Amino acid sequence: MKSLARVAVFLSLLAPMAWAAAPLPTVTVYKSPSCGCCGKWVEHMKANGFPVVTHDTENVAAHKTRLGVPLAMGSCHTAEVGGYLVEGHVPASDVKRLLTEKPRAKGLVSPGMPQSAPGMDIAGKVPYEILLVAKNGTTTIYASH
């Protein structure tokens, strides 16, 4: 009976591990080596469970072009995760939603540098939108913050 009780305890300890969520995919970030807000966004993504690899580069524009960031939708850094582009200060919650929903799209953009977005951390709550970039380059509102 003792060994059966031990097996039951052992299995009860393993059960939560079996239901644990799959790890989040790595976010690859291309940013200027001197950009402080980009570094803060990287920290935001890490704090939300994403492994992050950063590439400091003086030519972020090349990655924007390669990934298909629409003109006038750029920001200070460009990232890719799970086959999607993530442009600018997109909240981790929106990236997680994107990865869960898996829309047929290029990815998400946060045009410009919204002061209330993660990594910007400027006092005051200024509304901003995250846009979904379709495969053809058009955009629609994905989230409002």
Side-chain angles (χ1 to χ4, degrees):
M1 273 304 180
K2 272 187 172 179
S3 61
L4 186 58
R6 286 184 185 146
V7 168
V9 168
F10 178 73
L11 290 175
S12 71
L13 294 173
L14 286 180
M17 289 183 250
W19 294 103
L24 293 168
T26 299
V27 178
T28 303
V29 181
Y30 304 94
K31 67 177 198 61
S32 166
S34 61
C35 186
C37 66
C38 295
K40 287 181 181 181
W41 183 78
V42 166
E43 292 308 314
H44 164 75
M45 296 303 283
K46 287 179 180 179
N48 283 277
F50 284 96
V52 181
V53 173
T54 59
H55 297 282
D56 288 340
T57 177
E58 297 298 339
N59 191 7
V60 178
H63 298 284
K64 293 177 190 315
T65 300
R66 177 178 60 81
L67 294 170
V69 175
L71 293 176
M73 295 289 160
S75 186
C76 52
H77 60 269
T78 301
E80 50 189 324
V81 59
Y84 292 102
L85 74 88
V86 177
E87 178 68 12
H89 294 267
V90 176
S93 59
D94 293 342
V95 176
K96 288 178 180 179
R97 178 179 155 208
L98 176 79
L99 294 170
T100 298
E101 293 177 352
K102 295 181 180 17
R104 299 184 84 182
K106 289 184 181 184
L108 300 176
V109 296
S110 176
M113 298 173 73
Q115 75 178 33
S116 299
M120 294 302 293
D121 306 327
I122 296 172
K125 183 73 174 151
V126 176
Y128 67 99
E129 294 175 333
I130 301 302
L131 305 176
L132 180 71
V133 180
K135 292 284 187 182
N136 67 3
T138 61
T139 60
T140 56
I141 296 172
Y142 189 73
S144 296
H145 298 279

